[in-house]
Amino acid sequence: MMEVGKQAPGFGVQETDGELVHLSEFKGEKNVVLYFYPKDDTPGCTIEAQQFTQFKNEFEQLDTVILGVSKDDCDSHAAFREKYGINFYLLADTDGDLCEKYGVWQEKEKNGVKCMGIVRSTFVIDKDGIIRHAIYGVNADGHAADVLEMIKGL
């Protein structure tokens, strides 16, 4: 689990269009909303992505970039982005390294069956690369608006 007040773990992960996105490229210039979601084109993940898309301009006015992360590949992300008009980076953590670094790859239970999966989680990282908020077990609906308020409080 990530601790508030600590340096965010660095990364370089491929984005939908194949470009590598590094956390370090935003240091000193942008706050980062790094949110992890289980799977492209599923109900909760779609709601969350659409709501972040809805508020993207407001995040940008607050010098904040949104990075969505799942273990889906770039092709899946591209189809998801196109289908729903998602207008921010979707990172393809296909090997799960980023999920492990941020402690979101956990055992989950559904209908009495245990399996490993991404726990919907969000990290607000300030311009200095410090984690200001670490939220695990997020409810997708309304979350983007809540995160926007957190950014306003930085």
Side-chain angles (χ1 to χ4, degrees), residues 10-11 13 34 36 69 91 93 95-103:
F11 59 81
V13 178
L34 181 66
F36 291 82
V69 183
L91 305 183
D93 185 32
D95 60 10
D97 285 348
L98 190 53
C99 290
E100 290 285 347
K101 277 185 180 182
Y102 280 80

Side-chain angles (χ1 to χ4, degrees), residues 30 55-64:
K30 301 277 184 188
F55 292 115
K56 183 176 183 247
N57 289 339
E58 291 173 64
F59 281 106
E60 285 179 345
Q61 289 171 4
L62 297 168
D63 296 328
T64 302

Side-chain angles (χ1 to χ4, degrees), residues 60-74:
E60 285 179 345
Q61 289 171 4
L62 297 168
D63 296 328
T64 302
V65 64
I66 302 163
L67 305 176
V69 183
S70 78
K71 291 183 76 172
D72 295 301
D73 64 22
C74 290

Side-chain angles (χ1 to χ4, degrees), residues 38-111:
K39 187 146 184 60
D40 289 341
D41 207 6
T42 57
C45 300
T46 300
I47 288 168
E48 191 173 26
Q50 287 176 319
Q51 290 178 3
F52 273 115
T53 294
Q54 175 186 347
F55 292 115
K56 183 176 183 247
N57 289 339
E58 291 173 64
F59 281 106
E60 285 179 345
Q61 289 171 4
L62 297 168
D63 296 328
T64 302
V65 64
I66 302 163
L67 305 176
V69 183
S70 78
K71 291 183 76 172
D72 295 301
D73 64 22
C74 290
D75 289 340
S76 176
H77 281 341
F80 184 46
R81 188 173 68 181
E82 174 115 358
K83 183 175 181 179
Y84 295 104
I86 297 165
N87 60 2
F88 53 85
Y89 288 126
L90 295 177
L91 305 183
D93 185 32
T94 55
D95 60 10
D97 285 348
L98 190 53
C99 290
E100 290 285 347
K101 277 185 180 182
Y102 280 80
V104 304
W105 187 250
Q106 299 177 17
E107 185 175 74
K108 301 180 345 180
E109 187 173 339
K110 186 175 182 177
N111 301 326

